[in-house]
Amino acid sequence: MIFGRVSTELIQLNEATLWSGGPVSNDPTPGAANALPDVRAALFRQDYTEAAKQVRRIQGVYTEAYQPLGDLLLRQTLAGDSSAYYRDLNVSTATATTRFTSGGVTYTRELFVSAPDQVIVVRLTANRKGALNLTAALRSLHPVRKTVVGPMELAMRGKSPAKAVPNYVDYDKKPVRYDDSTGCNGTRFDLRLRIRSTDGQVTADTAGLHIRGASEAVLYLVAATSFNGFDKCPDRDGRDEQALVDAYLKRVLPKSVDAIWQAHIRDYQSYANRVSLTLNGTTTGTVAQLPTDERLKRYAQGSNDPTLESLYFEYDRYLLISSSRTTAANLQGIWNPMVRPPWSSNYTININTEMNYWPAEVTNLSELHRPLLDLIGSVAVTGRNTARTFYGAGGWVAHHNTDIWGASNPVGDRGKGDPNWANWAMGGNWLCQHLWEHYQFTGDKNYLRTVAYPLMKEAAQFCVDFLVESPEGRLVTAPATSPENIFITENGQKEAVSVATTMDMGIIWDLFSNVEQAAQQLNTDADFRLMLAQKKQKLFPLQIGKAGDLQEWYHDWSAEDPQHRHVSHLFVLHPGREISPLTTPNFAAAARKTLEIRGDGGTGWSKAWKINFWARLHDGNHAYKLLRELLRLTGVEGTEYAKGGGTYPNLLCAHPPFQIDGNFGGLSGMSEMLLQSQDGLLNLLPACPDAWASGQVRGLKARGGYTLDMDWQKGRLTRLVVQSAQGGICRLRLPGQVRMSGKNQLKAAQGVNPNSFYQLPASAYRTRQPNDPTPGYSVYDLPTEPGKTYVLLGQ
Ligand code: FUC
């Protein structure tokens, strides 16, 4: 994180694997499962207060926290005040530049982080010979030892905390602890600062590397930790972080800076250049030259700036490319400067982490989905113990938090957590959707067979054990919560714990549907598949409440906060696919009512989720209104844009505080406005707002292995390019009409029977509605062959 300061530049450093703590305990709360019958007995006699009390026995320990590594400080001696200040982050090259003039000399600092070479390169230049005088120093919030490794190299070594208690826990007298006698908690790290080359004089001591009389200096930063996997003691059984750093340095030092730069560009652009977006022409003239914060301010005041919107899209992809290489992007991506960061900078899996990865497949960054998919594999391992010890159940389960150690137990410090977030048991089941989506987009059957399906099946096994029959003969979850909302019972009691919340049932429906389809694709487990199909029929169904909304709970209770930021029950609309205007118009209308009651408020991820919802309801103008609100400038002290949710001047999302989920949810929302493929067809421009009447997008991905380029004018497609990786009938729903170009043949099938969806069997839907609710859309079946590209022109 580059602050762009002049005389003392601050560059905050993170290493993706540096967390507090160590592997989780196999049984953090012995005897927890004994509470389950008591909870259920209370629930079925509708004593929700007693149930909420008993359910606290089903809580374990908190997760650990993602940690900062340290800071690089550049203390520069300058002749006078600075002027001509300029800074940027170039998202085409993932390079940051800071430039200013002082004492008649122009100083430039360029920085990039290379994934292929595992190095941060900082290039400092002055345009007058010998004018560069500075000290490059390291520091950390952790206890560290600094060593001069050589005349050009400094090392900073230390260990992360053995324990870091969440920032919202206020009763712990010693919330950060470094002492650990077991060797199993706290991760060692080694950070090296090395001068690659300079024409100045260098001296080194533990206070820093001192550079005198230079016109150029190139610094390398290299780091590694002893993290050795979620189930290995990071200290005792850790990797040799010093040897790792030595190896990185040995590899990188003989290379020219230019070669490192070229490799970085190749690597970064191999992801970034897959997709491009232009909306309603390009912002030109003076506005395009304005700094981002100025543009955000004008935008907040209502001006149009389509290039700011497409820049946001590009920037959000930059964030995922930069934060999802080794470990999954956490609540702050990888960018956290605090030892007790907001919500531990961990993985909150009751919405936030999933949201981070909604855009991964559709915006053509499928490989970068893998760190999350790998994390699910770790959570499943600890989740087996959690299923057994907390519920006496088979399969695996996870709750609302996880961390690099794959924590899966309900958190809450054994009874101190509020059940409205702590005791929600659907985290693993929701994550399983990502395993299935990865397959849907890639068609990678080997991955489905060896990785995804076994994990999904085991999660379904937990559900089969966990579901109980209600008095009316339906299968329900008990206990159940609707994160993180409170209902009011008929007698005015405010409670969180009940049975069969809409979100619980929706997530299980989704998981069972996906497992069934996966088993079908793999031609396996016929009996299990049948059993799930039967259970799915018995699940407590979706209900429409007296307000015409989609009911959030088992009964038509009202919410303590009708505008609560979580809209958990609309999981079934997005990211689920149980309801849609095309397949279940009545439920879609109820979902719309729910959103109207919830209102357009909410900040950060909440606002971002609503963009996705409105896009799924095919209401582009409403989605666009919320996108503009998500981009509301905030964090500028001393102005009317000082406080509240929105977007900071550097385009990071403000919940507040900074959480990266809003960026990724916003990116996903923009994609959902342009392309959806969850309804058994490729839905092109399903929610294109009037503000984006014309545009161009290249390289979006759809389920079934298709890559799409679209050009449109006045809301109608003018040109469509479909690349088919796997072949098959590509069903398209699009505004206007198209014809085939070239000699490829197209079966124009307007009025084709939408009941025969490809890929998703009709049985995956509870109800079906063949009439398209939006006028002006046509449906075509395009037969495709693997590896072929089809061009369709609008008419
Ligand atoms: C959930 C949300 C909060 C916050 C946290 C990280 O608990 O309710 O708003 O985003 O996750």
Side-chain angles (χ1 to χ4, degrees):
M1 290 176 286
I2 302 150
F3 281 68
R5 293 173 185 166
V6 173
S7 55
T8 305
E9 169 63 312
L10 169 63
I11 296 165
Q12 284 180 338
L13 304 168
N14 284 99
E15 207 282 350
T17 60
L18 193 68
W19 288 64
S20 62
V24 303
S25 144
N26 283 343
D27 188 5
T29 313
N34 298 334
L36 191 58
D38 299 339
V39 173
R40 288 186 167 161
L43 285 172
F44 288 116
R45 52 169 200 272
Q46 295 176 38
D47 187 347
Y48 301 112
T49 315
E50 180 62 16
K53 192 174 144 209
Q54 293 300 331
V55 88
R56 286 177 186 256
R57 290 162 57 200
I58 311 184
Q59 289 181 5
V61 294
Y62 285 111
T63 71
E64 292 295 338
Y66 178 56
Q67 293 296 314
L69 179 66
D71 297 334
L72 169 68
L73 294 158
L74 302 175
R75 294 197 190 91
Q76 189 164 346
T77 315
L78 296 170
D81 288 348
S82 62
S83 60
Y85 181 85
Y86 171 90
R87 72 185 292 215
D88 71 13
L89 168 68
N90 183 334
V91 286
S92 311
T93 59
T95 308
T97 303
T98 308
R99 194 167 48 230
F100 55 89
T101 302
S102 176
V105 184
T106 298
Y107 297 95
T108 306
R109 299 173 184 153
E110 293 158 294
L111 187 149
F112 65 91
V113 189
S114 166
D117 285 307
Q118 289 294 305
V119 64
I120 297 180
V121 177
V122 188
R123 183 161 169 262
L124 310 167
T125 52
N127 72 347
R128 183 189 297 159
K129 212 168 170 6
L132 202 54
N133 295 293
L134 70 117
T135 294
L138 297 176
R139 70 176 181 198
S140 179
L141 293 170
H142 308 299
V144 287
R145 275 167 293 110
K146 289 183 208 160
T147 321
V148 178
V149 179
M152 306 278 253
E153 190 174 323
L154 207 61
M156 183 169 80
R157 295 175 181 136
K159 200 174 155 189
S160 70
K163 173 130 217 81
V165 171
N167 67 325
Y168 50 84
V169 171
D170 54 11
Y171 52 80
D172 198 311
K173 292 266 154 40
K174 221 179 153 206
V176 179
R177 296 193 278 280
Y178 285 90
D179 45 302
D180 172 58
S181 51
T182 63
C184 212
N185 295 297
T187 297
R188 297 187 312 270
F189 59 83
D190 185 8
L191 169 70
R192 286 313 158 80
L193 171 65
R194 166 88 181 216
I195 299 185
R196 166 63 166 71
S197 60
T198 179
D199 57 351
Q201 309 280 307
V202 181
T203 51
D205 55 40
T206 51
L209 300 173
H210 313 281
I211 302 169
R212 294 280 164 270
S215 14
E216 193 201 45
V218 180
L219 312 178
Y220 286 175
L221 281 157
V222 172
T225 77
S226 62
F227 177 74
N228 195 17
F230 77 101
D231 53 354
K232 300 268 177 4
C233 293
D235 191 1
R236 194 178 63 217
D237 304 321
R239 299 184 76 186
D240 184 343
E241 73 284 2
Q242 295 187 23
L244 285 171
V245 173
D246 286 337
Y248 293 148
L249 275 170
K250 201 167 157 210
R251 232 171 60 96
V252 83
L253 280 169
K255 295 194 183 178
S256 71
V257 177
D258 194 55
I260 298 172
W261 159 256
Q262 294 298 340
H264 157 70
I265 294 291
R266 263 198 311 280
D267 168 74
Y268 174 72
Q269 293 186 344
S270 73
Y271 297 105
N273 291 357
R274 291 176 190 175
V275 172
S276 71
L277 175 66
T278 309
L279 295 168
N280 238 18
T282 308
T283 310
T284 50
T286 46
V287 175
Q289 301 304 317
L290 289 174
T292 311
D293 57 341
E294 289 295 324
R295 285 174 76 170
L296 281 168
K297 198 177 287 172
R298 294 179 78 256
Y299 191 78
Q301 289 158 358
S303 73
N304 287 327
D305 191 346
T307 312
L308 181 67
E309 291 159 358
S310 53
L311 174 68
Y312 183 72
F313 184 93
E314 207 180 332
Y315 173 80
D316 291 338
R317 288 186 76 250
Y318 156 85
L319 291 177
L320 195 67
I321 298 168
S322 306
S323 64
S324 190
R325 297 298 186 104
T326 40
T327 55
N330 63 49
L331 193 66
Q332 273 79 23
I334 44 171
W335 295 280
N336 159 49
M338 284 174 252
V339 175
R340 288 180 81 200
W343 291 284
S344 301
S345 193
N346 70 4
Y347 302 104
T348 306
I349 53 176
N350 70 13
I351 174 67
N352 316 77
T353 305
E354 288 89 348
M355 180 175 282
N356 282 1
Y357 284 90
W358 291 343
E361 299 288 344
V362 63
T363 75
N364 211 333
L365 297 172
S366 188
E367 305 93 316
L368 303 181
H369 205 172
R370 289 306 280 260
L372 177 73
L373 308 179
D374 293 347
L375 177 67
I376 300 172
S378 310
V379 178
V381 173
T382 77
R384 279 177 208 137
N385 288 326
T386 302
R388 199 186 62 249
T389 60
F390 283 83
Y391 301 99
W396 69 276
V397 61
H399 296 77
H400 102 297
N401 271 182
T402 188
D403 57 14
I404 202 168
W405 313 111
S408 54
N409 63 258
V411 298
D413 194 10
R414 302 187 183 94
K416 298 193 195 71
D418 191 325
N420 83 48
W421 38 265
N423 287 98
W424 174 82
M426 296 293 129
N429 299 333
W430 187 347
L431 285 172
C432 282
Q433 191 187 57
H434 287 256
L435 300 165
W436 175 242
E437 292 292 3
H438 186 65
Y439 168 72
Q440 290 260 90
F441 280 84
T442 60
D444 183 346
K445 257 206 180 136
N446 186 45
Y447 163 81
L448 182 65
R449 179 177 302 111
T450 57
V451 182
Y453 179 68
L455 293 172
M456 292 161 63
K457 182 181 172 190
E458 254 195 275
Q461 256 149 0
F462 170 79
C463 297
V464 167
D465 287 358
F466 185 59
L467 287 164
V468 283
E469 203 162 304
S470 69
E472 74 273 77
R474 289 292 192 164
L475 288 177
V476 300
T477 51
T481 59
S482 189
E484 304 175 10
N485 212 353
I486 304 287
F487 58 86
I488 309 176
T489 64
E490 297 77 3
N491 16 354
Q493 261 170 281
K494 294 180 179 175
E495 298 293 349
V497 186
S498 60
V499 306
T501 55
T502 301
M503 182 189 236
D504 275 16
M505 304 319 291
I507 289 177
I508 293 176
W509 183 92
D510 189 73
L511 176 66
F512 283 8
S513 304
N514 297 343
V515 172
E516 272 180 73
Q517 283 180 252
Q520 217 158 25
Q521 293 277 313
L522 296 171
N523 200 11
T524 185
D525 287 339
D527 294 346
F528 188 69
R529 212 192 307 166
L530 191 67
M531 190 255 286
L532 288 188
Q534 285 162 354
K535 299 239 179 227
K536 213 170 86 177
Q537 292 294 316
K538 274 185 79 176
L539 290 177
F540 188 74
L542 296 175
Q543 300 180 91
I544 295 179
K546 51 186 177 297
D549 58 338
L550 189 74
Q551 230 171 268
E552 184 164 358
W553 290 281
Y554 189 58
H555 294 300
D556 197 7
W557 290 316
S558 48
E560 180 189 42
D561 177 5
Q563 305 198 321
H564 197 274
R565 64 191 179 288
H566 285 259
V567 199
S568 302
H569 43 321
L570 291 198
F571 169 90
V572 295
L573 174 67
H574 181 277
R577 57 182 156 81
E578 190 173 351
I579 72 178
S580 130
L582 295 182
T583 58
T584 60
N586 295 340
F587 284 123
R592 171 179 276 269
K593 190 77 201 162
T594 291
L595 284 173
E596 285 165 6
I597 295 170
R598 258 334 194 241
D600 287 346
T603 60
W605 62 261
S606 175
K607 185 86 77 187
W609 200 357
K610 288 172 187 168
I611 299 172
N612 290 270
F613 288 141
W614 284 103
R616 285 270 170 112
L617 290 176
H618 303 172
D619 190 333
N621 286 338
H622 205 124
Y624 181 74
K625 169 185 181 280
L626 292 166
L627 176 65
R628 288 197 71 110
E629 291 170 15
L630 184 70
L631 280 163
R632 174 194 168 270
L633 179 62
T634 189
V636 189
E637 269 161 48
T639 73
E640 61 182 298
Y641 305 106
K643 288 205 184 74
T647 294
Y648 295 117
N650 64 1
L651 292 184
L652 288 177
C653 187
H655 185 29
F658 160 52
Q659 288 184 198
I660 210 159
D661 41 22
N663 286 98
F664 292 138
L667 175 61
S668 162
M670 290 178 82
S671 311
E672 292 276 335
M673 290 159 79
L674 299 172
L675 168 66
Q676 297 175 22
S677 57
Q678 75 287 351
D679 280 331
L681 43 67
L682 272 52
N683 206 342
L684 312 184
L685 304 177
C688 190
D690 295 341
W692 296 350
S694 68
Q696 204 180 71
V697 67
R698 300 277 175 267
L700 289 184
K701 285 272 185 181
R703 292 169 185 82
Y706 301 105
T707 310
L708 299 185
D709 297 346
M710 297 188 282
D711 291 34
W712 68 98
Q713 296 273 335
K714 294 186 186 144
R716 289 163 80 95
L717 268 189
T718 51
R719 185 169 175 275
L720 169 69
V721 181
V722 181
Q723 288 175 56
S724 174
Q726 299 155 36
I729 307 280
C730 178
R731 175 160 294 179
L732 300 160
R733 175 184 180 270
L734 50 89
Q737 294 179 2
V738 289
R739 64 193 157 80
M740 208 50 185
S741 83
K743 43 185 167 42
N744 297 313
Q745 46 153 209
L746 168 73
K747 193 177 95 198
Q750 269 145 288
V752 85
N753 178 7
N755 292 353
S756 53
F757 294 111
Y758 89 99
Q759 275 206 349
L760 302 183
S763 64
Y765 294 87
R766 282 183 182 176
T767 57
R768 273 175 285 118
Q769 166 55 258
N771 303 320
D772 198 314
T774 317
Y777 279 77
S778 321
V779 174
Y780 298 86
D781 275 351
L782 173 67
T784 70
E785 285 174 42
K788 293 232 166 109
T789 299
Y790 303 83
V791 181
L792 288 75
L793 300 176
Q795 57 176 22

